[in-house]
């Protein structure tokens, strides 16, 4: 796995949003910036270029001089704080950026020794220099050369960067490079995460962020447990049982890991099955379980 730092650009005037703090706009209860930070949590160091604010995980802050100097100036201010040989560069308005997308970019760069950067290419075929992995040395050299040619980086277009670098490209999946420039974009993102196939993953991720949990568990196991408890015992047993499984996993030794959750869930599922079996067999007294029959036989002897 490639070791990398991350630079997230969180400045800009957000004019098409009426000048609001765009990185702080919430989609699915989570700030856009926090959604991007969750997708780059594998970084050794994360530098956010923009005004300071509360974030879900610790970051280092930087600011271009003068503030509002544009993406190239912001990128230079961010990379100045990084130390890794590879930098993942992201804008702070990507509601659907995921860690696997960053990994694809890093892997593509590692697999192409002659490339200075791996750009994501959106579904329209356009390069996305703010969803990209860069080798740090060529990136810094390119920024210096642009500054030398133009005198400053302030106000210069981002497209100048691609001209200075040898690129490899990674095709984006659906919505991977979707960014939020307008309120219509925000509404689209908010509607998308509530679609049936996405809403559960989005909700669980939001809860983990809110509670400061980075644990990855098999949600299918917990859903199966909730179903068994609801059907075999009583409907309110589902949320209470899953809560108790989480509590038991946290107290396990060693506690809190995915294995502890899986083991606690396994025990609870087995109990729910036993409970349901007794309900099926024991109400009328017409059927006796093998376990009970064995006990009666032994008592008779």
């Amino acid at each position: 796995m490639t070791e990398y730092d991350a630079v997230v650009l969180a400045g800009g005037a957000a004019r098409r949003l009426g000048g609001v703090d765009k990185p702080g706009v919430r989609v699915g209860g989570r700030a856009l910036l926090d959604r991007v930070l969750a997708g780059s949590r594998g970084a050794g160091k994360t530098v956010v270029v923009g005004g300071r604010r509360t974030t879900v995980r610790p970051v280092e802050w930087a600011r271009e001089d003068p503030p509002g100097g544009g993406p190239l100036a912001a990128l230079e201010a961010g990379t100045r704080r990084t130390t890794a040989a590879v930098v993942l560069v992201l804008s702070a308005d990507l509601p659907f950026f995921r860690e696997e997308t960053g990994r694809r970019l890093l892997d593509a760069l590692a697999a192409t020794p002659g490339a200075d950067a791996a750009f994501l290419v959106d579904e329209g075929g356009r390069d996305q220099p703010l969803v990209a992995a860069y080798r740090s040395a060529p990136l810094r050299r390119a920024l210096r050369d642009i500054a030398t040619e133009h005198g400053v980086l302030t106000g210069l277009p981002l497209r100048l960067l691609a001209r200075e670098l040898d690129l490899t490209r990674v095709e984006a999946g659906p919505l991977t490079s979707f960014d939020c420039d307008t309120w219509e974009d925000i509404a689209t993102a908010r509607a998308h995460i509530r679609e049936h196939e996405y809403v559960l993953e989005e909700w669980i991720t939001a809860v983990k962020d809110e509670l400061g949990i980075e644990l990855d568990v098999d949600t299918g196991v917990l859903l199966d447990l909730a179903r068994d408890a609801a059907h075999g015992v009583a409907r309110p047993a589902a949320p209470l049982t899953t809560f108790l499984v989480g509590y038991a996993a946290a107290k396990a030794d060693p506690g809190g890991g995915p294995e502890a959750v899986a083991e606690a869930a396994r025990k609870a599922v087995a109990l729910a099955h036993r409970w349901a079996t007794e309900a099926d067999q024991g109400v009328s007294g017409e059927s006796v379980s093998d376990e009970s029959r064995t006990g009666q036989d032994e008592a008779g002897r």
Side-chain angles (χ1 to χ4, degrees):
M1 294 177 64
T2 303
E3 293 184 359
Y4 70 98
D5 289 340
V7 173
V8 181
L9 304 192
R15 293 182 180 86
R16 286 190 280 175
L17 287 174
V20 302
D21 175 31
K22 181 165 67 169
V25 173
R26 296 183 181 277
V27 173
R30 302 160 65 205
L32 285 171
L33 175 57
D34 285 338
R35 296 177 72 91
V36 173
L37 291 177
S40 58
R41 61 184 177 181
K45 175 191 291 188
T46 299
V47 180
V48 178
V49 186
R52 291 174 179 263
R53 66 200 76 203
T54 301
T55 54
V56 292
R57 63 183 181 85
V59 300
E60 187 170 323
W61 295 96
R63 196 71 163 140
E64 72 274 24
D65 187 17
L72 286 180
L75 184 53
E76 191 278 332
T79 55
R80 203 185 314 142
R81 303 289 188 93
T82 63
T83 57
V86 173
V87 178
L88 185 65
V89 174
L90 304 165
S91 61
D93 60 352
L94 302 167
F96 305 117
F97 181 79
R98 299 290 184 269
E99 198 167 7
E100 54 265 31
T101 302
R103 181 55 52 197
R104 289 178 62 209
L105 291 166
L106 295 165
D107 289 347
L109 185 61
T112 315
D116 298 322
F119 279 15
L120 197 71
V121 178
D122 69 19
E123 294 177 289
R126 295 176 291 270
D127 285 342
Q128 300 295 313
L130 296 186
V131 194
Y134 295 82
R135 299 190 197 279
S136 299
L139 174 58
R140 292 190 178 100
R141 183 181 63 245
L143 291 169
R144 284 196 304 268
D145 290 347
I146 293 171
T148 298
E149 180 179 353
H150 296 271
V152 293
L153 292 173
T154 301
L156 295 179
L158 196 58
R159 64 175 180 273
L160 294 177
L161 190 60
R163 302 175 185 175
E164 303 289 331
L165 300 169
D166 292 323
L167 302 176
T168 187
R169 292 174 169 86
V170 174
E171 291 187 5
L175 293 177
T176 305
S177 61
F178 182 90
D179 58 0
C180 293
D181 291 325
T182 66
W183 286 114
E184 183 179 359
D185 294 335
I186 296 291
T188 297
R190 286 172 172 171
H192 178 76
I193 67 167
R194 285 171 170 77
E195 294 176 8
H196 176 72
E197 61 265 43
Y198 305 111
V199 65
L200 185 59
E201 178 187 355
E202 288 286 348
W203 170 249
I204 294 300
T205 302
V207 171
K208 289 195 293 186
D209 275 359
E210 192 72 16
L211 299 180
I213 299 171
E214 293 191 2
L215 177 67
D216 289 325
V217 297
D218 187 343
T219 55
V221 168
L222 296 179
L223 288 173
D224 288 345
L225 167 60
R227 179 201 62 206
D228 292 341
H231 292 172
V233 184
R235 191 168 297 276
L240 294 172
T241 304
T242 52
F243 165 77
L244 292 172
V245 163
Y247 184 78
K251 290 180 66 66
D253 184 20
E259 298 83 2
V261 175
E263 176 62 14
R266 183 193 64 77
K267 292 179 179 179
V269 166
L271 176 61
H273 287 172
R274 295 198 301 270
W275 189 287
T277 299
E278 289 179 13
D280 292 339
Q281 297 179 343
V283 172
S284 64
E286 294 176 355
S287 177
V288 180
S289 70
D290 291 340
E291 182 180 353
S292 297
R293 187 177 290 111
T294 300
Q296 290 171 1
D297 292 342
E298 290 177 352
R301 293 193 201 93

